């Protein structure tokens, strides 16, 4: 059986945007935040994210951002399901 060719998830030009952002990161000139006011980019992941964001703004083929998982349900639950197994000890008077 012949294998199906997989579709490219990212366009080649979006890869070029990430590549240029990585160069800026390695050089030490990559800045984060609006207008570069947020400070220096310190991690590779952050540099890649900035490159992909720039590609999205230009309208290039880049997959959508992963939706954030809702963790509010887990944190709002109270721990009432466990009943205490301790019995009240009653002193018997003789």
């Amino acid at each position: 059986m012949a294998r199906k060719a997989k579709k490219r998830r990212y366009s080649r030009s979006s890869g070029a945007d990430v590549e240029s952002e990585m160069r800026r990161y390695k050089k030490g000139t990559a800045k984060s935040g609006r207008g570069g006011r947020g400070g220096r980019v310190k991690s590779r992941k952050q540099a890649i994210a900035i490159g992909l964001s720039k590609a999205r703004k230009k309208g290039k083929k880049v997959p959508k951002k992963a939706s954030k998982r809702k963790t509010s349900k887990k944190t709002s639950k109270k721990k009432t399901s466990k009943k205490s197994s301790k019995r009240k000890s009653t002193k018997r008077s003789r």
Side-chain angles (χ1 to χ4, degrees), residues 59-87:
K60 296 179 180 177
K61 185 187 171 191
V62 182
K64 290 180 181 177
K65 290 180 183 180
S67 61
K68 291 181 181 178
R69 292 181 183 165
K70 292 182 182 178
T71 56
S72 60
K73 287 183 180 178
K74 288 182 180 178
T75 56
S76 64
K77 281 187 180 177
K78 291 181 182 177
K79 294 182 181 179
T80 56
S81 61
K82 255 190 177 178
K83 291 184 179 178
S84 60
S85 61
K86 292 180 182 177
R87 291 185 179 177

Side-chain angles (χ1 to χ4, degrees), residues 32-76:
S32 66
R34 193 176 172 100
R37 294 189 185 123
R40 206 176 91 245
V41 174
K42 294 177 182 176
S43 70
R44 290 175 58 87
K45 283 185 179 181
Q46 192 179 5
I48 291 166
I50 291 168
L52 289 174
S53 179
K54 286 181 179 178
R56 276 191 194 95
K57 284 178 185 172
K58 290 178 185 176
K60 296 179 180 177
K61 185 187 171 191
V62 182
K64 290 180 181 177
K65 290 180 183 180
S67 61
K68 291 181 181 178
R69 292 181 183 165
K70 292 182 182 178
T71 56
S72 60
K73 287 183 180 178
K74 288 182 180 178
T75 56
S76 64

Side-chain angles (χ1 to χ4, degrees), residues 14-25:
S14 67
D17 280 348
V18 173
E19 198 174 320
S20 67
E21 191 61 37
M22 286 302 294
R23 274 197 211 97
R24 291 181 64 225
Y25 159 70

